[in-house]
Amino acid sequence: MTTLAIVGATGAVGSVMIDIINARESVPWSEIRLIASPRSAGRRLRVRGEEIEVVALSPAAFDGVDIAMFDVPDAVSAEWAPVAVSRGAIAVDNSGAFRMDPEVPLVVPEVNAEQAHERPKGIVSNPNCTTLSMMAALGALHRAFGLRELVVASYQAASGAGQEGIDRLQDEIAAVAGKGVGHRRGDVAEVIASAGLPAESPFNAPLALNVVPFAGSLKDDGWTSEELKVRNESRKILGLPELKVSATCVRVPVVTTHSIAVHATFDGPVDVATAHQVFASQPSIVLVDEPEAKRFPTPVDVVGEDPTYVGRVRQALDFPNTLDFFVCGDNLRKGAALNTYEIAEELVRS
Ligand code: 2RA
């Protein structure tokens, strides 16, 4: 008898968690409990053919729960994951509250599944979606060649900023569509403003017909929180505390699926054919790399998919032992709900 709870069940990622559970051929759970804020309590959601009533977040909601998956804001996780643990559950948390806590493992099952079983606080963290989008590919290459340095640029979807981000992008696209703008400085922003959209935007600049080189919040020395997460989380997941990392995180007008251009340097020689073999042997990677046929991964082909898609694999011309490649991963699935659920599956297998 194993009970799984989804905390934040009515949110964007919670809904994807339910989709994933509904799509599994079988699940190891005897009960699935849906937990959300008091505002959403009482709603009924269909899980594996059964209507389940959402219950309000409270200490008693965790009684009898074995594994509680959290997708809620950092402050809510910080308060409630320890409550779930005190009631006997293991918490698998998708917020940033515990990711860099040395007593909390940060887990990508195909890279460091074993660490999910060493959790002094009873909490396992799920990485940020940007880090996660490239981790299956980097983990496989690191096992084969030994990763030494990492330089990345992300192309992050609007849904990384939640429903508010999706709505803003869709509204901006509606505002600029058919207006023929983009030829004059400021004309995109003018059309968006004249459509009545608020001046405040989650992206700090127009996203329609644009790219925005700022994601997350500002941290020291001009770095953003997203860029520091890529650095710190990659080091922790790969067990490389001294890994040299430089990241530039960019928001692009895509609804869902983060992409990353990766420039990775290894301990010794690397070549495209061997890298292709490494990617092809990792079940959670789909390799789409046929440059002659102009076949490569793009977000519109990857959204809704579980695997990480990899393509444009090249041996760097001017940097020894270095590969350049492009990855796309659905930021709401592998980047959030799927990886969290895969951690829960790993825990229940033990
Ligand atoms: C973003 N990575 O894309 C964040 C979401 N966790 O904004």
Side-chain angles (χ1 to χ4, degrees):
M1 297 288 277
T2 309
T3 297
L4 176 74
I6 304 176
V7 186
T10 56
V13 172
S15 307
V16 178
M17 284 173 177
I18 293 173
D19 290 346
I20 289 167
I21 290 170
N22 285 341
R24 285 287 199 259
E25 250 174 44
S26 64
V27 294
W29 322 112
S30 49
E31 182 191 337
I32 294 173
R33 199 171 299 172
L34 305 180
I35 301 176
S37 65
R39 204 179 54 244
S40 299
R43 279 179 58 185
R44 300 181 75 81
L45 300 174
R46 207 161 180 80
V47 185
R48 299 192 73 78
E50 199 188 320
E51 293 273 318
I52 300 182
E53 184 170 321
V54 176
V55 300
L57 184 57
S58 73
F62 294 103
D63 287 347
V65 170
D66 297 283
I67 298 173
M69 304 191 298
F70 281 75
D71 192 88
V72 291
D74 291 6
V76 180
S77 279
E79 180 181 349
W80 287 93
V83 173
V85 173
S86 74
R87 296 275 169 153
I90 302 170
V92 184
D93 180 42
N94 189 33
S95 83
F98 302 100
R99 285 181 187 140
M100 296 316 297
D101 184 328
E103 293 190 306
V104 174
L106 184 63
V107 173
V108 182
E110 59 267 70
V111 180
N112 61 346
E114 69 291 346
Q115 291 181 18
H117 304 289
E118 298 153 23
R119 35 166 205 278
K121 289 192 170 161
I123 301 170
V124 180
S125 265
N126 191 62
N128 182 38
C129 52
T130 316
T131 314
L132 259 176
S133 300
M134 64 181 177
M135 219 16 90
L138 275 180
L141 289 176
H142 175 51
R143 274 196 301 279
F145 305 121
L147 184 63
R148 183 171 284 190
E149 294 176 16
L150 184 63
V151 180
V152 303
S154 72
Y155 303 75
Q156 292 180 221
S159 57
Q163 190 59 43
E164 188 198 359
I166 298 174
D167 292 345
R168 177 73 192 200
L169 175 60
Q170 299 287 19
D171 290 347
E172 289 189 6
I173 289 173
V176 300
K179 299 289 195 316
V181 286
H183 300 289
R184 185 175 57 75
R185 184 166 190 258
D187 62 359
V188 170
E190 282 163 21
V191 167
I192 289 170
S194 64
L197 295 189
E200 284 269 298
S201 154
F203 305 118
N204 306 297
L207 190 59
L209 302 177
N210 209 8
V211 296
V212 179
F214 193 98
S217 56
L218 185 63
K219 299 293 178 192
D220 289 347
D221 300 322
W223 294 98
T224 67
S225 55
E226 285 288 299
E227 291 158 351
L228 296 182
K229 284 177 191 177
V230 168
R231 176 172 180 261
N232 296 336
E233 294 179 16
S234 298
R235 289 173 160 193
K236 183 168 176 177
I237 296 160
L238 295 169
L240 296 170
E242 305 296 324
L243 182 68
K244 291 183 180 177
V245 183
S246 185
T248 301
C249 289
V250 181
R251 195 74 70 180
V252 295
V254 164
V255 174
T256 296
T257 292
H258 286 356
S259 305
I260 304 181
V262 181
H263 175 89
T265 300
F266 299 91
D267 290 334
V270 285
D271 61 81
V272 171
T274 316
H276 273 182
Q277 284 168 12
V278 169
F279 290 137
S281 64
Q282 169 73 53
S284 62
I285 290 177
V286 174
L287 182 65
V288 183
D289 197 13
E290 296 171 47
E292 304 291 337
K294 310 283 189 298
R295 292 197 67 236
F296 35 73
T298 72
V300 296
D301 297 320
V302 171
V303 60
E305 295 282 300
D306 287 348
T308 299
Y309 282 63
V310 180
R312 300 294 327 281
V313 186
R314 287 148 293 150
Q315 194 164 350
L317 296 177
D318 297 319
F319 299 87
N321 308 333
T322 299
L323 291 172
D324 287 274
F325 58 95
F326 194 71
V327 299
C328 293
D330 183 322
N331 52 302
L332 301 181
R333 292 185 79 87
K334 184 62 181 173
L338 177 65
N339 199 72
T340 307
Y341 187 68
E342 287 172 342
I343 295 171
E345 287 181 324
E346 170 67 28
L347 293 170
V348 81
R349 260 197 296 273
S350 65

